[in-house]
Amino acid sequence: MARGKLRIYLGAAPGVGKTYAMLSEAHRRIERGTDCVVAFVEHHDRPRTEVMLHGLEQVRRREIEYRGGTFTEMDVDAVLRRAPAVALVDELAHTNVPGSRNTKRWQDVEELLAAGTDVISTVNIQHLESLGDVVEAITGVRQRETVPDEVVRRADQIELVDMSPEALRRRMAHGNVYKPDKVDAALSNYFRPGNLTALRELALLWVADRVDAYLTEYRSAHQVSAIWGSRERIVVGLTGGPEGHTLIRRAARLAEKGAGGEVMAVYISRSDGLTAASPKELAVQRTLVEDLGGTFHHVVGDDIPAALLDFARGVNATQIVLGVSRRRSWQYAFGPGVGATVARESGPDLDVHLVTHDAVGRGRGLPVARGARLGRPRVISGWLVGVLGPVLLTWLLTGAAADVGLANDMLLFLTLTVAAALLGGLLPALASAGVGSLLLNWFFTPPVDTLTITDPKNIVALVVFVGVAVAVASVVDLAARHTHQAARLRAESEILSFLAGNVLRGETTLEALLERVRETFGMESVALLERTGETDPWTCAGSVGPRPAGIPEDADVDVPVSDHMALSLRGRVLPAADRRVLAAFAAQAAVVLDRQRLRREAGRAEELAEGNRIRTALLAAVSHDLRTPLAGIKAAVSSLRSDDVEWSEEDRAELLEAIEEGADRLDQLVGNLLDMSRLQTGTVTPILRETDLDEVVPMGLGGVPEDSVDLDIPETLPMVHVDRGLLERAVANVVENAVKYSPPGEKVLVAASAIADRVEIRVVDRGPGVPDEAKGRIFEPFQRYGDSPRGAGVGLGLAVARGFAEAIGGTLDVEDTPGGGLTMVLAVRTAPRRRAEQPDLSAAAAP
């Protein structure tokens, strides 16, 4: 059975009209004869949305009992039995009530799609999992209900339902989104113009990226090589030189001029060993690119201009930014340079910017890491000069009217030999000397046109010419090789110094180090393999790049680190000269791996030590604090059962009251211990719903005397998004702690107020207060401050309160009370939306 198709209406915020657009599409399809049903749509008492449901078949929902309430969810089995062609499923990111078929609604949708049913759904941009932190930074609200980005990206169609912030706020003011009593709070908190503008930008950029990905797939599938300038994408060509910072910043400014501009820095290294640039400088430039919002890419290619153009066309770039060459004027005799070549071959669809900088014309200096080999182009040039040069020179000299003399002829041929040595090394120079001596003998040494030499002086001259040519060629070639070897050593030392510094400072992870190896040597993939014994299979401790080697035998390069560890590289066979640096990388990789494991073991040891400390404190609490109320209960019961004393009714009532107080105290201590255990094991599962504070806070004051607290909870406060039970326990613990430390006759003030997108509950006491250095410790388990009596508790109240506050997405902090005392500030999130039937909700789309 073919998989169904998914269509998603994406919005920037609740109320933009996603559900309305989805229902309109359903009516259009029904008019065309498509079998379309409503699997789950929530109209939230919005008249226009409710009207759009008329005339649509709705599948009956499933009712679920949970915590004393009845909730409705989509009945997946009923929809599968109905088997429509198209199913409408609202709110893709919704979390189902416990007891449902799946945890999340998008999992329900996956079942429908697998059954061959097309699905139309809705989702807001703030519910995408990857944007959770960004949305929280913008709105101050952490979205509890999210959907994986991949689920939305896999949709066959994504349609953006867009609306300006001003239009959405007007829609809300008219009562088309929320009920009138919630409009003011919504407009002043979540739906502020700045929030809506930022969310709208997120939605537009996300959809633009999705469209760009589709365009890339289309171009690849249809083999489109021409550049389509649908988006400004600027490629910066880096050499690792000092001009890189200028080029990157200029490209960033160019990208800012166009909406959605993107900067992609690329460094192209040759395939003949180590890279030709300083790794330290490249790392700094890479950081700068990423800080400016761009990306860094490393490409291997011997023809730099062609590789750069291929990369630019492959990413559909519209502009290339290059620096003006650092070569000196005379060096242009060897070629036009990368910038001029790229500009000439870029074509009309790719703009090339040549940017001036401070290093123009100052020379490139010695090559940093080219090694002892001169490279194929230079060797070929050397052979051409060494072999064809003497022939061409002979033709020129024999055609000249005047004879310049044998001595001058020899000097000219010697010049060609030196040029061949400079370009191609020793062998082209020796060939030039041999060819030149034969040509001198045949054409310029009497008798001409024969290899016979009659004058002994000419024999000596030819021998001297050959000797000088060979000597000069040897010296020039040796100097060139020493220069390149010195450059290689310089590059190696710079790489090793940078590597050792990062590792010693602990700044390099194993993956980052392996990526450095891959970039430095231009390999396809790098893997660090290990095994426990000689006969045990190899396992991968870390890898980067596609298709890493699973065993050392499958790698192109294998560097043993120890008897049971090896660094394996795929891509090409490295020369022996490169293995020295590679061995250093391998040793450092083993060090980094050991350091990471030691850190994990240290973390586990710290957790065990913390557990031992808590267990020790728990034993102390059980041995003393829990025995204190038990001792009181035991004494009172023994007194009541004693036959030696005749107790009056007042005495009996007093003893019974002591038993009740001890039992209550014991129940509270055991409750806090159990709550702390739940928090530490992560078994606290909050059920968040919209709640009025004036319904919860008063219930948390039941454990303190009625005349010990002044309560100030305004009725105008916005709804909060909390778990009522956990919030009540947190308030109870904080208030009980404040009452315990307050002086006799001083009441504790419990007040609440709304600030931006949160509501703060402030518990103010006039007790002794806490020094600044001790404020952080009072929230740790089994901590009691000051002269609190041993029987007053086990020191878990504030620890449990903070744990519950964080579990519901809030915070619990401490401040000094002006005039003396301590103020506990419990902040919880306001509810950005409300749903009548659900325990944990996000707002749905508006009509």
Side-chain angles (χ1 to χ4, degrees):
M1 180 181 295
R3 179 180 172 86
K5 295 182 180 295
L6 176 61
R7 178 172 183 168
I8 294 177
Y9 287 95
L10 177 69
V16 296
K18 302 179 301 300
T19 305
Y20 191 92
M22 178 179 66
L23 295 175
S24 299
E25 175 66 19
H27 282 287
R28 286 192 292 270
R29 296 200 180 196
I30 289 176
E31 291 175 358
R32 296 195 300 263
T34 304
D35 181 17
C36 184
V37 302
V38 176
F40 189 98
V41 170
E42 188 67 62
H43 58 74
H44 301 286
D45 297 327
R46 297 167 185 169
R48 296 186 180 181
T49 306
E50 189 173 3
V51 169
M52 292 297 295
L53 285 170
H54 295 167
L56 299 178
E57 178 185 348
Q58 301 186 45
V59 178
R60 184 179 179 84
R61 301 181 184 181
R62 179 187 177 192
E63 294 186 352
I64 301 176
E65 299 288 338
Y66 184 70
R67 288 194 174 184
T70 302
F71 307 98
T72 61
E73 293 288 359
M74 180 173 67
D75 193 335
V76 180
D77 292 325
V79 179
L80 292 175
R81 287 194 300 268
R82 172 64 176 77
V86 179
L88 308 184
V89 182
D90 207 2
E91 299 172 354
L92 186 63
H94 169 70
T95 300
N96 294 328
V97 173
S100 301
R101 182 189 184 99
N102 294 303
T103 304
K104 305 287 289 187
R105 184 164 292 165
W106 64 264
Q107 296 170 326
D108 297 337
V109 169
E110 287 292 322
E111 289 195 35
L112 299 181
L113 294 173
T117 299
D118 293 346
V119 176
I120 304 178
S121 188
T122 65
V123 71
N124 281 325
I125 191 67
Q126 63 264 33
H127 295 302
L128 295 183
E129 200 166 78
S130 65
L131 300 178
D133 294 337
V134 179
V135 172
E136 184 179 10
I138 294 171
T139 65
V141 178
R142 182 69 180 182
Q143 297 296 327
R144 296 289 178 177
E145 295 188 329
T146 60
V147 58
D149 289 46
E150 184 60 27
V151 174
V152 182
R153 288 184 181 277
R154 286 201 308 263
D156 299 276
Q157 296 182 55
I158 300 176
E159 183 172 335
L160 178 65
V161 182
D162 188 31
M163 177 175 287
S164 68
E166 294 78 11
L168 179 56
R169 285 171 60 84
R170 283 197 303 269
R171 175 178 287 183
M172 293 194 64
H174 293 157
N176 294 329
V177 180
Y178 290 145
K179 292 182 179 180
D181 58 335
K182 303 299 180 185
V183 170
D184 290 340
L187 290 176
S188 60
N189 291 284
Y190 191 87
F191 289 86
R192 294 193 298 270
N195 288 1
L196 296 178
T197 301
L199 292 174
R200 186 188 188 196
E201 183 181 15
L202 279 180
L204 291 170
L205 291 176
W206 194 92
V207 173
D209 287 339
R210 180 66 180 86
V211 172
D212 191 64
Y214 172 76
L215 179 61
T216 302
E217 294 173 3
Y218 179 86
R219 284 167 49 84
S220 177
H222 293 78
Q223 298 180 350
V224 178
S225 58
I227 293 177
W228 292 355
S230 57
R231 179 180 180 182
E232 286 296 334
R233 186 172 282 113
I234 302 171
V235 171
V236 185
L238 299 179
T239 64
E243 76 279 2
H245 301 272
T246 302
L247 301 182
I248 293 169
R249 293 190 176 94
R250 176 63 61 86
R253 291 196 295 272
L254 290 173
E256 290 175 356
K257 295 179 180 179
E262 182 180 358
V263 176
M264 307 177 72
V266 58
Y267 170 71
I268 300 174
S269 64
R270 300 184 185 274
S271 60
D272 57 351
L274 296 172
T275 59
S278 164
K280 182 177 181 180
E281 184 64 25
L282 278 179
V284 173
Q285 294 177 8
R286 179 176 192 160
T287 302
L288 177 60
V289 171
E290 294 172 350
D291 289 343
L292 294 175
T295 56
F296 181 89
H297 304 266
H298 179 259
V299 176
V300 177
D302 291 323
D303 189 342
I304 303 255
L308 180 60
L309 289 171
D310 288 343
F311 175 82
R313 293 192 176 100
V315 299
N316 200 30
T318 58
Q319 301 180 55
I320 296 179
V321 175
L322 298 173
V324 176
S325 177
R326 286 182 280 134
R327 297 191 300 174
R328 301 185 187 278
S329 301
W330 62 268
Q331 291 177 308
Y332 283 97
F334 298 100
V338 174
T341 304
V342 171
R344 184 181 66 248
E345 299 180 1
S346 60
D349 52 358
L350 188 58
D351 297 335
V352 178
H353 302 266
L354 294 179
V355 180
T356 59
H357 49 85
D358 293 338
V360 173
R362 295 185 178 181
R364 298 179 58 88
L366 292 175
V368 179
R370 281 291 308 278
R373 292 176 294 177
L374 298 176
R376 184 181 299 273
R378 286 191 57 179
V379 173
I380 293 176
S381 300
W383 280 104
L384 291 175
V385 172
V387 176
L388 297 181
V391 176
L392 181 60
L393 180 61
T394 301
W395 178 76
L396 292 174
L397 292 176
T398 54
D403 185 9
V404 297
L406 182 60
N408 291 328
D409 293 337
M410 289 184 177
L411 290 177
L412 292 174
F413 278 94
L414 183 61
T415 302
L416 289 178
T417 302
V418 173
L422 289 173
L423 289 175
L426 181 60
L427 292 180
L430 294 178
S432 177
V435 173
S437 63
L438 291 176
L439 293 175
L440 282 171
N441 188 358
W442 185 272
F443 288 100
F444 302 104
T445 304
V448 297
D449 298 332
T450 179
L451 296 178
T452 303
I453 303 176
T454 58
D455 190 347
K457 295 181 180 179
N458 293 335
I459 297 177
V460 174
L462 284 176
V463 172
V464 170
F465 166 77
V466 174
V468 171
V470 172
V472 170
S474 300
V475 171
V476 171
D477 178 71
L478 183 62
R481 292 183 180 275
H482 283 175
T483 299
H484 288 296
Q485 289 171 357
R488 168 174 287 276
L489 293 176
R490 173 186 166 191
E492 290 178 0
S493 63
E494 190 170 345
I495 291 172
L496 295 177
S497 174
F498 180 71
L499 171 66
N502 279 349
V503 173
L504 290 176
R505 291 190 299 268
E507 298 175 355
T508 302
T509 63
L510 180 60
E511 288 72 19
L513 181 62
L514 297 181
E515 180 65 25
R516 175 67 64 186
V517 175
R518 191 178 72 87
E519 291 184 357
T520 300
F521 295 95
M523 304 301 287
E524 179 182 348
S525 63
V526 181
L528 183 63
L529 306 177
E530 63 176 347
R531 60 181 178 181
T532 56
E534 293 292 341
T535 59
D536 294 323
W538 290 93
T539 59
C540 182
S543 65
V544 294
R547 300 185 304 106
I551 57 176
E553 289 76 10
D554 293 341
D556 295 316
V557 180
D558 173 29
V559 180
V561 181
S562 63
D563 293 338
H564 305 301
M565 185 176 292
L567 185 67
S568 301
L569 296 82
R570 270 185 172 178
R572 62 188 177 88
V573 178
L574 292 178
D578 290 345
R579 291 181 176 266
R580 178 172 53 189
V581 177
L582 187 58
F585 271 109
Q588 294 290 9
V591 172
V592 171
L593 180 61
D594 290 341
R595 179 181 285 115
Q596 289 182 353
R597 289 175 174 172
L598 288 174
R599 285 176 178 172
R600 288 196 293 267
E601 292 177 2
R604 288 194 293 267
E606 186 176 351
E607 292 176 359
L608 291 175
E610 178 66 15
N612 289 332
R613 187 188 69 80
I614 292 178
R615 280 193 292 271
T616 301
L618 177 60
L619 290 175
V622 172
S623 64
H624 186 282
D625 296 302
L626 294 182
R627 291 182 62 185
T628 300
L630 284 175
I633 295 173
K634 172 66 175 174
V637 171
S638 299
S639 299
L640 288 174
R641 297 188 61 186
S642 174
D643 296 333
D644 300 336
V645 180
E646 188 68 31
W647 301 102
S648 64
E649 289 299 327
E650 294 180 356
D651 294 336
R652 294 177 62 86
E654 186 178 349
L655 290 173
L656 290 173
E657 184 180 355
I659 293 174
E660 184 178 11
E661 290 178 355
D664 289 342
R665 173 50 51 184
L666 186 61
D667 178 69
Q668 184 182 16
L669 294 176
V670 173
N672 278 336
L673 287 172
L674 293 176
D675 289 339
M676 197 69 234
S677 176
R678 291 169 57 205
L679 288 170
Q680 290 186 338
T681 56
T683 57
V684 176
T685 305
I687 304 298
L688 305 179
R689 66 180 71 189
E690 294 183 358
T691 305
D692 284 321
L693 277 183
D694 55 7
E695 296 178 1
V696 178
V697 175
M699 299 179 63
L701 308 182
V704 297
E706 295 183 1
D707 59 348
S708 62
V709 176
D710 280 338
L711 187 61
D712 181 15
I713 306 294
E715 296 181 357
T716 58
L717 287 177
M719 304 280 282
V720 293
H721 199 53
V722 297
D723 183 300
R724 298 183 59 171
L726 297 183
L727 178 59
E728 179 185 336
R729 291 297 305 277
V731 171
N733 282 7
V734 172
V735 172
E736 289 177 10
N737 184 80
V739 171
K740 179 173 61 178
Y741 285 97
S742 292
E746 288 284 351
K747 290 186 177 182
V748 172
L749 174 62
V750 179
S753 60
I755 300 177
D757 54 358
R758 67 186 187 276
V759 173
E760 290 185 352
I761 305 171
R762 307 178 75 86
V763 181
V764 183
D765 67 59
R766 294 294 179 178
V770 176
D772 292 339
E773 61 272 12
K775 288 177 179 176
R777 296 197 301 270
I778 64 175
F779 294 105
E780 296 178 2
F782 305 103
Q783 295 292 322
R784 288 179 294 194
Y785 180 72
D787 55 356
S788 176
R790 291 288 296 175
V794 294
L796 286 175
L798 293 182
V800 170
R802 171 170 276 189
F804 283 167
E806 293 175 350
I808 61 178
T811 59
L812 178 60
D813 298 306
V814 60
E815 299 176 358
D816 291 323
T817 301
L822 204 65
T823 298
M824 291 289 177
V825 183
L826 175 59
V828 294
R829 296 181 295 118
T830 57
R833 58 188 66 87
R834 184 171 184 176
R835 180 185 298 168
E837 297 180 351
Q838 304 297 338
D840 181 13
L841 298 172
S842 297

